Amino acid sequence: MGIGLGVVLLVIGLILVMGVVQIDIGFIDDAGLGWILVIVGALAIVLALVMNKQRSQTKHVEERRYDGPPR
């Protein structure tokens, strides 16, 4: 999941919560589904930011080993 997916889920969830678009599915409440998508979208954004911060603080070490006597 990335920041883009989180934003898309957040926007779709807010559209459903505010009642802009209504989906006629008998066993799913539009507002309930919207709140679930808002929470999942916000969680995806937070996780993407945490993972990007960890990735930027990673150090790479190169170690070279030579076999035999030095030249």
Side-chain angles (χ1 to χ4, degrees):
M1 283 192 203
I3 295 174
L5 179 62
V7 170
V8 168
L9 290 175
L10 192 66
V11 168
I12 293 172
L14 288 174
I15 287 172
L16 288 174
V17 168
M18 293 184 173
V20 176
V21 176
Q22 294 181 359
I23 300 174
D24 294 329
I25 300 176
F27 56 90
I28 296 177
D29 181 32
D30 293 343
L33 178 63
W35 282 115
I36 290 171
L37 290 176
V38 166
I39 292 169
V40 170
L43 185 63
I45 293 171
V46 169
L47 287 176
L49 291 174
V50 168
M51 290 174 65
N52 283 337
K53 182 162 177 67
Q54 287 178 350
R55 190 177 299 138
S56 68
Q57 292 178 350
T58 304
K59 292 182 181 179
H60 298 282
V61 177
E62 183 178 335
E63 182 176 323
R64 295 183 184 186
R65 294 184 185 196
Y66 298 102
D67 291 333
R71 296 178 189 192

